Amino acid sequence: LLEKSLALHRAVKDTRGVAWSLGSLATVSTDLGNYEQAKQLYEEGLVLSRDLGGAELLGAYLISLGYEYLLEGDPERATALNEEAVGLYRKRGRKSLLQAALDNLGWSALIMGNHQRSKALFEESLVLCKDLGDKLVGSESIEGLACVAGAGGEAERAARLFGAAEALREATGYHLGTRARSRTESYLATARAQVDEATWSAAWEKGRSMEFEDAVIYALEDPNG
């Protein structure tokens, strides 16, 4: 259906319709595991959205393509695209989707080993998620902070945050793909190895029992304060 939609928009030279159809088709391609195809569609859509102007379409493409590069293992390219999106949203005074760009930047910084910057970005994203009621991106930022905590030797805190992120994601009905899950595996293993199983499980379950607002408060508090 999306391919038919794209063809119809191309036939009548509806550039904006083509741009939106490309983005929708790219999303489905990603879900089907056709990552190269998705990237090509996002790249084409990004070119069109630059010509069309407007923050909504261009910002969405910058974030989506940036996320593809992030999952592909190119945090530098992901950073450049998401930083452009952040700049665009800040200039236009838009909050919606800004949290997604900040979250993506947090993961890129984490992958590149800049834990301090990663923590600051995840926290900024999480504050916005709370304001917007965005539990899905919020769960991603909380999980990012869990990775930071684990890398910093705070195993119980990491377990609690991992548990909270898992429960929030389940509540939204969203399931992480294989590439997204692989981002956390090494951090999860490192943190889990620091404490015994009983301690880890207790902290994990405590995190799972938290409501979104409580999880955000816990994630943003200074453990050393």
Side-chain angles (χ1 to χ4, degrees), residues 62-63 66-67 70 75-87 90 97-125 137 141 183:
L62 289 167
I63 291 169
Y67 190 62
L70 173 64
E76 290 83 5
R77 179 64 174 148
T79 296
L81 290 164
N82 281 284
E83 282 183 343
E84 185 180 350
V86 168
R90 292 200 196 282
L97 286 184
L98 175 57
Q99 76 280 16
L102 291 167
D103 179 72
N104 285 349
L105 285 174
W107 285 103
S108 293
L110 182 68
I111 292 169
M112 291 188 287
N114 193 337
H115 295 167
Q116 185 174 358
R117 172 171 164 75
S118 175
K119 182 174 182 291
L121 287 162
F122 285 135
E123 288 176 343
E124 187 177 359
S125 170
V137 175
S141 294
R183 294 178 305 184

Side-chain angles (χ1 to χ4, degrees), residues 126-159:
L126 199 50
V127 169
L128 275 174
C129 287
K130 182 182 179 183
D131 291 344
L132 296 168
D134 187 346
K135 294 182 179 180
L136 180 54
V137 175
S139 70
E140 293 285 288
S141 294
I142 288 173
E143 191 161 73
L145 288 170
C147 293
V148 173
E154 301 173 285
E156 288 187 56
R157 179 175 176 79

Side-chain angles (χ1 to χ4, degrees), residues 41-221:
L41 292 166
Y42 281 135
E43 292 278 12
E44 183 182 353
L46 179 59
V47 172
L48 291 178
S49 67
R50 289 192 189 282
D51 292 337
L52 289 166
E56 183 179 9
L57 190 60
L58 177 56
Y61 268 109
L62 289 167
I63 291 169
S64 296
L65 182 58
Y67 190 62
E68 280 299 312
Y69 277 109
L70 173 64
L71 296 183
E72 187 181 76
D74 188 347
E76 290 83 5
R77 179 64 174 148
T79 296
L81 290 164
N82 281 284
E83 282 183 343
E84 185 180 350
V86 168
L88 178 67
Y89 285 133
R90 292 200 196 282
K91 182 178 179 181
R92 301 293 179 88
R94 294 178 63 97
K95 287 187 176 181
S96 180
L97 286 184
L98 175 57
Q99 76 280 16
L102 291 167
D103 179 72
N104 285 349
L105 285 174
W107 285 103
S108 293
L110 182 68
I111 292 169
M112 291 188 287
N114 193 337
H115 295 167
Q116 185 174 358
R117 172 171 164 75
S118 175
K119 182 174 182 291
L121 287 162
F122 285 135
E123 288 176 343
E124 187 177 359
S125 170
L126 199 50
V127 169
L128 275 174
C129 287
K130 182 182 179 183
D131 291 344
L132 296 168
D134 187 346
K135 294 182 179 180
L136 180 54
V137 175
S139 70
E140 293 285 288
S141 294
I142 288 173
E143 191 161 73
L145 288 170
C147 293
V148 173
E154 301 173 285
E156 288 187 56
R157 179 175 176 79
R160 191 166 170 181
L161 290 170
F162 275 124
E166 179 184 71
L168 286 170
R169 192 158 45 239
E170 288 174 0
T172 67
Y174 182 76
H175 299 280
L176 282 180
T178 302
R179 294 187 302 167
R181 287 199 307 272
S182 68
R183 294 178 305 184
T184 64
E185 288 175 350
S186 63
Y187 298 99
L188 180 60
T190 296
R192 194 160 193 164
Q194 295 170 13
V195 292
D196 61 82
E197 185 62 31
T199 300
W200 179 269
S201 296
W204 185 285
E205 289 303 321
K206 193 168 185 178
R208 282 189 57 84
S209 69
M210 300 173 79
E211 296 294 330
F212 179 50
E213 292 76 11
D214 293 331
V216 170
I217 291 170
Y218 179 75
L220 293 176
E221 73 181 18

